[in-house]
């Protein structure tokens, strides 16, 4: 139907007859001449229709937005060059126009911003826009580059099951009723974790998969019910073997797709240091602000909130100095406190020093003059600054002060340009869940501890360090992995510490324990979030922009209407009866 793509018509084709197909991006009837901006996935070219071609002009004058056309014409040089488009030095003089499909009036125009709900309902129209085409192509180039890199280095692309066994991996499973096994269910995989470990036991050595994964959890800008990850596993490796390989991969991929040179090597930081300095296990190093521990300086103050946390072995009192922050009004300070409250803060103390050096603070009265001066000196506070303080449990304070740091960095224009990759290592093996009254795995239950001795692990579970590692880029965790447990006795011990008894472990993970008993090699791996990396490359904060057909934050597909009710007779086939909704 066509000889060329619209966006690829250039000066080398002047004088040639071409046949193009595409959509009417703009149609302008100026009386003496008609101009059509014809668009396909490669771009736009101007089609010009002279009234001397009466029939062609009549068709051109009737065109509407997004009509689908076939245009035959001759390429010639444009008198008025348009430097904003790739085809801006040429135009096509139409000799024939065929309307392949007439578009009805559209619910929105590409040049409008109708809101995300409308865009998602008519996703096929949204995806026609140049910006969305660019974002999707960025994702496509990313995946192509990853496959080329991995295939060239002997990784084997192996598919793993989508219908599998429900296992607790940190999020809620999507369940699928098994028609041929009444009352039993498959689960959609949260990740291919156990299968890729078993592939290492099976001797495949280097595995990868662009894997679809499913987690029934709350959605947000960087999370979807179904997502795509690059899953990788290596046999006979230590941490640095995995890290060095995939660091080289990410560096090469960014160079190929973005022409960006990432640091070589990536800097490294332990989890403990990241939490202490930045209040986050995925710190954005583009922001120079750091947290400062002040517990030793406030232990003897009369401010009970500070002294309680400062004298608690599991407590923390941290300060964040914001240069120029004295410009914040009381209302804005209250907004910062409300932001911190979202992350667990019960309050936010502050000290403000104006440009003349005058101090205003609700906590100054609780300190002796010399102690207050020492506190200001320790945090480096000067004229024009504000210092926020957080006190409470160590992890909670780190969380809300880390969130405050990010907000301040954006509000005060302190986010530097560029790319700041980072390895975060030596994660805690466990964290204690007060509600469940037991330990939970910080990464997943198959992550190896740093110690080989089971007795040592049991005796020091609270402070045990894992062999887990994350790759962080501009404050986003883009990849997470670990060395896995390859000994059945260690895996059973970890299950036990997680409150998974021997009988439950055998029922849920018996196939894995069996595999570990039959000669499992030391192995490890990592998984990268394709959606998240694509979003970073495309310059968007929402992964929905780089997923062709995403769900809303309320877990719906507005275009298809999913999820939707199922007729009773279809439910009966899979032995399901729906309970009435509770008010």
């Amino acid at each position: 139907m066509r000889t060329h793509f619209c966006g690829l018509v250039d000066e080398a084709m002047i004088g040639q007859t071409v046949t193009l197909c595409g959509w009417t991006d703009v149609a302008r009837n100026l009386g003496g001449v008609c101009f059509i901006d014809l668009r396909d996935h490669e771009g736009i070219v101007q089609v010009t229709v002279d009234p001397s071609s009466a029939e062609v002009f009549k068709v051109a004058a009737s065109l509407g937005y997004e009509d689908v056309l076939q245009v035959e014409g001759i390429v010639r040089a444009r008198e008025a060059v348009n430097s904003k488009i790739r085809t801006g030095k040429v135009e096509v003089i139409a000799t024939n126009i065929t309307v392949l499909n007439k578009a009805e009036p559209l619910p929105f125009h590409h040049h409008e911003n109708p809101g995300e709900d409308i865009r998602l309902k008519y996703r096929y129209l949204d995806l026609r826009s140049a910006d969305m085409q660019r974002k999707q192509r960025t994702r496509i180039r990313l995946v192509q580059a990853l496959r080329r890199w991995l295939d060239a280095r002997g990784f084997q692309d192996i598919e793993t099951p989508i219908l599998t066994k429900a296992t607790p991996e940190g999020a809620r499973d999507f369940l699928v009723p098994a028609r041929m096994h009444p009352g039993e269910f498959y689960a959609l995989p949260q990740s291919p974790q156990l299968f890729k470990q078993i592939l290492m036991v099976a001797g495949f050595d280097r595995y990868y998969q662009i894997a679809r994964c499913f987690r029934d959890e709350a959605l947000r800008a960087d999370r979807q019910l179904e997502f795509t990850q690059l899953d990788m596993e290596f046999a006979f490796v230590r941490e640095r073997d995995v890290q060095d390989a995939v660091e080289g991969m990410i560096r090469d991929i960014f160079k190929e797709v973005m022409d960006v040179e990432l640091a070589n090597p990536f800097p490294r930081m332990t989890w403990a240091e990241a939490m202490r300095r930045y209040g986050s296990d995925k710190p954005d190093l583009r922001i120079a602000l750091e947290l400062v521990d002040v517990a030793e300086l406030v232990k003897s103050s009369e401010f009970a909130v500070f002294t309680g946390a400062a004298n608690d072995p599991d407590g923390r009192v941290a300060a964040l100095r914001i240069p120029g922050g004295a410009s914040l009004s009381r209302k804005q300070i209250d907004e910062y406190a409300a932001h911190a409250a979202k992350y667990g803060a019960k309050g936010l103390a502050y000290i403000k020093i104006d440009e003349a050096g005058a101090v205003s603070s609700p906590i100054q009265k609780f300190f002796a003059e010399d102690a207050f001066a020492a506190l200001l000196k320790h945090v480096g506070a000067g004229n024009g600054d504000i210092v926020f303080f957080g006190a409470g449990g160590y992890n909670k304070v780190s969380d809300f002060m880390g969130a405050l740091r990010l907000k301040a960095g954006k509000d005060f224009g302190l986010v530097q340009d560029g790319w700041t990759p980072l390895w975060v290592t030596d994660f805690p093996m466990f964290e204690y869940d007060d509600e469940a009254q037991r330990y939970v795995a910080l990464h997943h239950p198959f992550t190896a501890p740093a110690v080989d001795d089971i007795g040592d692990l049991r005796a020091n579970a609270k402070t045990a360090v894992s062999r887990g590692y994350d790759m962080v880029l501009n404050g986003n965790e883009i990849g997470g992995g670990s060395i896995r447990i390859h000994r059945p006795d260690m895996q059973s011990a970890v299950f036990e510490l997680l409150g998974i008894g021997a009988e439950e472990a055998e029922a849920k993970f018996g196939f894995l324990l069996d595999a570990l008993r039959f000669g499992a090699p030391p192995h490890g791996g990592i998984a990268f979030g394709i959606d998240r990396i694509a979003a970073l490359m495309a310059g968007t904060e929402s992964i929905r922009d780089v997923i062709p057909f995403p769900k809303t934050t309320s877990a719906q597909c507005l275009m298809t209407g999913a999820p939707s009710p199922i007729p009773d007779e279809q439910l009966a086939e899979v032995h399901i009866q729906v309970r009435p909704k509770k008010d």
Side-chain angles (χ1 to χ4, degrees):
M1 294 185 71
R2 61 188 171 193
T3 60
H4 299 82
F5 292 111
C6 299
L8 300 183
V9 178
D10 60 20
E11 292 170 282
M13 298 164 61
I14 289 175
Q16 293 183 28
T17 298
V18 297
T19 303
L20 309 174
C21 293
W23 288 264
T24 307
D25 196 72
V26 175
R28 303 182 300 280
N29 183 356
L30 304 183
V33 66
C34 274
F35 294 107
I36 304 163
D37 285 350
L38 190 66
R39 186 192 73 247
D40 64 13
H41 77 286
E42 289 288 359
I44 289 175
V45 67
Q46 177 173 286
V47 175
T48 302
V49 186
D50 191 283
S52 61
S53 303
E55 288 301 316
V56 181
F57 192 87
K58 181 179 179 181
V59 174
S62 69
L63 294 176
Y65 181 53
E66 293 299 297
D67 287 346
V68 184
L69 310 180
Q70 181 188 58
V71 174
E72 297 174 36
I74 300 170
V75 181
R76 77 175 183 187
R78 279 181 68 163
E79 293 182 6
V81 172
N82 182 354
S83 59
K84 295 181 180 179
I85 59 175
R86 185 166 48 178
T87 63
K89 293 183 179 181
V90 295
E91 61 183 348
V92 176
I93 306 303
T95 56
N96 187 55
I97 298 176
T98 303
V99 179
L100 301 175
N101 204 348
K102 191 77 178 170
E104 295 184 4
L106 271 62
F108 67 92
H109 192 284
H110 286 153
H111 307 294
E112 299 171 346
N113 185 11
E116 191 174 47
D117 283 359
I118 295 293
R119 290 174 54 210
L120 290 178
K121 182 174 181 179
Y122 301 99
R123 187 63 164 180
Y124 40 86
L125 299 180
D126 187 38
L127 289 172
R128 287 184 194 171
S129 72
D131 185 53
M132 290 301 292
Q133 290 267 322
R134 176 188 65 82
K135 289 171 180 175
Q136 299 304 318
R137 285 188 170 201
T138 298
R139 181 195 179 101
I140 291 165
R141 290 199 307 273
L142 166 63
V143 173
Q144 290 172 337
L146 287 169
R147 286 194 183 279
R148 282 194 296 270
W149 196 97
L150 292 159
D151 292 341
R153 287 160 179 79
F155 285 84
Q156 300 171 87
D157 183 0
I158 304 175
E159 291 184 348
T160 54
I162 292 295
L163 296 176
T164 184
K165 185 181 181 67
T167 56
E169 291 185 40
R172 189 178 290 108
D173 286 320
F174 277 103
L175 301 177
V176 179
R179 181 182 60 82
M180 292 183 288
H181 299 274
E184 297 182 355
F185 295 83
Y186 301 104
L188 302 182
Q190 295 183 34
S191 81
Q193 180 62 44
L194 299 183
F195 288 103
K196 69 179 181 179
Q197 288 190 240
I198 289 173
L199 285 170
M200 296 303 100
V201 180
F204 283 95
D205 198 79
R206 284 191 165 197
Y207 142 96
Y208 87 93
Q209 182 182 187
I210 307 293
R212 295 291 284 171
C213 303
F214 307 85
R215 295 180 186 175
D216 188 4
E217 57 185 359
L219 278 69
R220 59 190 187 206
D222 65 346
R223 182 180 291 170
Q224 283 276 299
L225 300 178
E226 50 183 318
F227 56 94
T228 306
Q229 67 185 36
L230 167 61
D231 210 56
M232 303 173 69
E233 200 76 5
F234 306 65
F236 300 105
V237 288
R238 298 185 178 91
E239 290 91 327
R240 285 303 289 256
D241 298 319
V242 177
Q243 293 164 11
D244 290 347
V246 300
E247 179 181 318
M249 177 186 74
I250 293 297
R251 194 180 296 110
D252 290 348
I253 295 309
F254 266 79
K255 178 62 178 174
E256 178 177 343
V257 178
M258 300 280 295
D259 196 26
V260 166
E261 298 274 3
L262 296 181
N264 186 10
F266 291 1
R268 312 176 72 80
M269 186 180 298
T270 65
W271 176 89
E273 182 183 357
M275 296 301 286
R276 176 176 57 82
R277 294 174 61 187
Y278 304 107
S280 172
D281 58 5
K282 49 181 186 294
D284 189 342
L285 300 186
R286 295 174 301 168
I287 302 171
L289 302 178
E290 294 192 22
L291 306 184
V292 178
D293 284 312
V294 295
E296 291 300 320
L297 285 83
V298 301
K299 277 185 174 180
S300 301
S301 73
E302 296 179 6
F303 190 36
V305 174
F306 279 7
T307 56
N311 290 286
D312 181 350
D314 295 323
R316 182 177 195 186
V317 185
L320 176 68
R321 180 183 73 89
I322 303 174
S327 62
L328 291 174
S329 66
R330 182 52 197 262
K331 179 183 177 183
Q332 289 171 316
I333 291 172
D334 289 343
E335 289 172 356
Y336 270 74
H339 183 74
K342 295 177 185 177
Y343 297 86
K346 293 182 179 178
L348 199 62
Y350 67 90
I351 299 172
K352 186 159 74 166
I353 310 172
D354 69 19
E355 294 292 348
V359 175
S360 59
S361 171
I363 63 170
Q364 185 176 7
K365 61 187 177 183
F366 296 107
F367 289 85
E369 185 175 341
D370 58 342
F372 192 74
L375 180 62
L376 292 179
K377 181 179 179 181
H378 184 70
V379 300
N383 292 3
D385 295 346
I386 192 170
V387 183
F388 286 115
F389 296 87
Y394 191 93
N395 288 342
K396 184 169 288 187
V397 169
S398 300
D399 285 345
F400 70 73
M401 292 298 285
L404 211 64
R405 172 182 173 270
L406 292 179
K407 177 174 171 58
K410 292 176 182 177
D411 290 351
F412 285 85
L414 302 175
V415 183
Q416 299 173 359
D417 292 333
W419 300 89
T420 55
L422 173 71
W423 279 111
V424 178
T425 65
D426 302 323
F427 281 77
M429 186 73 184
F430 309 108
E431 58 183 347
Y432 195 76
D433 187 325
D434 290 323
E435 187 175 330
Q437 293 289 296
R438 64 178 180 86
Y439 287 112
V440 294
L442 200 67
H443 264 101
H444 55 60
F446 320 108
T447 298
V451 297
D452 289 328
D453 184 84
I454 292 174
D456 188 348
L457 178 65
R458 286 184 172 133
N460 300 288
K462 182 178 180 180
T463 57
V465 172
S466 78
R467 299 177 70 180
Y469 37 82
D470 283 356
M471 185 185 288
V472 176
L473 184 62
N474 289 6
N476 297 271
E477 178 211 326
I478 62 169
S482 68
I483 298 301
R484 323 302 188 188
I485 298 169
H486 70 282
R487 287 168 33 203
D489 58 342
M490 178 63 81
Q491 186 64 78
S492 294
V494 168
F495 283 154
E496 181 185 324
L497 285 166
L498 293 171
I500 302 172
E503 188 175 331
E504 183 183 0
E506 192 63 35
K508 293 180 176 177
F509 303 106
F511 63 99
L512 172 67
L513 294 170
D514 284 346
L516 298 183
R517 294 184 185 109
F518 293 117
H523 59 284
I526 194 166
F528 288 95
I530 296 289
D531 312 306
R532 202 167 289 175
I533 297 174
L536 286 170
M537 287 181 162
T540 179
E541 293 187 358
S542 174
I543 63 171
R544 290 192 291 276
D545 285 344
V546 293
I547 297 173
F549 302 103
K551 305 292 188 293
T552 65
T553 52
S554 58
Q556 294 174 296
C557 174
L558 298 181
M559 186 182 74
T560 64
S564 59
I566 300 296
D568 288 343
E569 57 269 23
Q570 192 174 349
L571 290 174
E573 290 178 355
V574 290
H575 319 288
I576 294 290
Q577 185 174 7
V578 177
R579 291 182 177 179
K581 283 184 180 179
K582 292 183 178 179
D583 292 335

